[in-house]
Amino acid sequence: MEQTLSIIKPDAAAKNVIGKIIDRFESNNLKIAAIKKLKLSEEDAGKFYAVHKERPFFKDLVKFMTSGAVVVMVLEGENAVAKNRELMGATNPKEAKKGTIRADFAESIDANAVHGSDSLENAAIEIAFFFSKRELA
Ligand code: IDP
Ligand code: MG
């Protein structure tokens, strides 16, 4: 059993498709182990995406991620990290496979509907960034 971090980004939350996205996870044997809706501060977003600090799109990414509320979740299940990445589709929705969340709900490479941890190691770091022990009980 694995856990991974998922974020429904501001574009998707604003489009009123939170439930539709959660249904993709639940229909594919991923359980919502923890969940909350919040608005990231600039500091939060900068810390969360610190690995991308040197990338040309970093500033835009922080601006976008703080532009509205997000839904942060811990998904739990067999191969949760890889399964979530598969359900999300490619970073650029134009390259995402048919039927994936990004193909169906995202507009552009910046506003791409969802985040998902890219490894088990990063999943643990990202989960701890957002959730306390009590919330994960
Ligand atoms: P991922 O979300 O599929 O793991 P990453 O490469 O980790 O993709 O990038 C993090 C986020 O940064 C992406 O989801 C996207 O919102 C944004 N991003 C990545 N590459 C670009 C780009 O070339 N232009 C603009 N935004 C980008
Ligand atoms: Mg990534």
Side-chain angles (χ1 to χ4, degrees):
M1 217 50 119
E2 285 181 8
Q3 288 191 332
T4 190
L5 187 89
S6 166
I7 303 178
I8 300 179
K9 294 186 178 183
D11 58 322
K15 265 163 67 179
N16 214 17
V17 292
I18 292 170
K20 283 189 174 132
I21 291 175
I22 289 176
D23 181 54
R24 301 288 174 102
F25 302 135
E26 292 187 332
S27 298
N28 286 279
N29 287 323
L30 291 174
K31 285 202 156 157
I32 311 297
I35 184 165
K36 56 188 167 190
K37 190 173 180 195
L38 53 92
K39 193 159 181 244
L40 294 173
S41 67
E42 233 170 84
E43 193 189 344
D44 292 332
K47 272 191 196 155
F48 183 77
Y49 278 119
V51 287
H52 295 307
K53 210 158 61 192
E54 306 305 329
R55 309 282 285 273
F57 57 82
F58 179 73
K59 254 185 119 179
D60 288 341
L61 178 59
V62 169
K63 201 171 163 197
F64 167 64
M65 289 301 289
T66 56
S67 67
V70 297
V71 176
V72 190
M73 286 169 282
V74 176
L75 304 178
E76 188 174 275
E78 224 171 279
N79 294 315
V81 173
K83 193 182 273 183
N84 179 39
R85 296 291 307 192
E86 201 183 306
L87 294 171
M88 287 164 61
T91 307
N92 185 348
K94 288 178 182 73
E95 288 159 15
K97 273 192 206 145
K98 229 181 131 197
T100 60
I101 294 168
R102 281 168 167 168
D104 291 344
F105 301 113
E107 304 307 327
S108 66
I109 194 164
D110 330 62
N112 61 0
V114 279
H115 165 84
S117 309
D118 61 7
S119 67
L120 204 49
E121 192 191 356
N122 283 335
I125 295 168
E126 292 178 0
I127 289 167
F129 183 82
F130 280 110
F131 292 96
S132 66
K133 256 197 181 145
R134 177 197 283 146
E135 291 171 301
L136 291 161

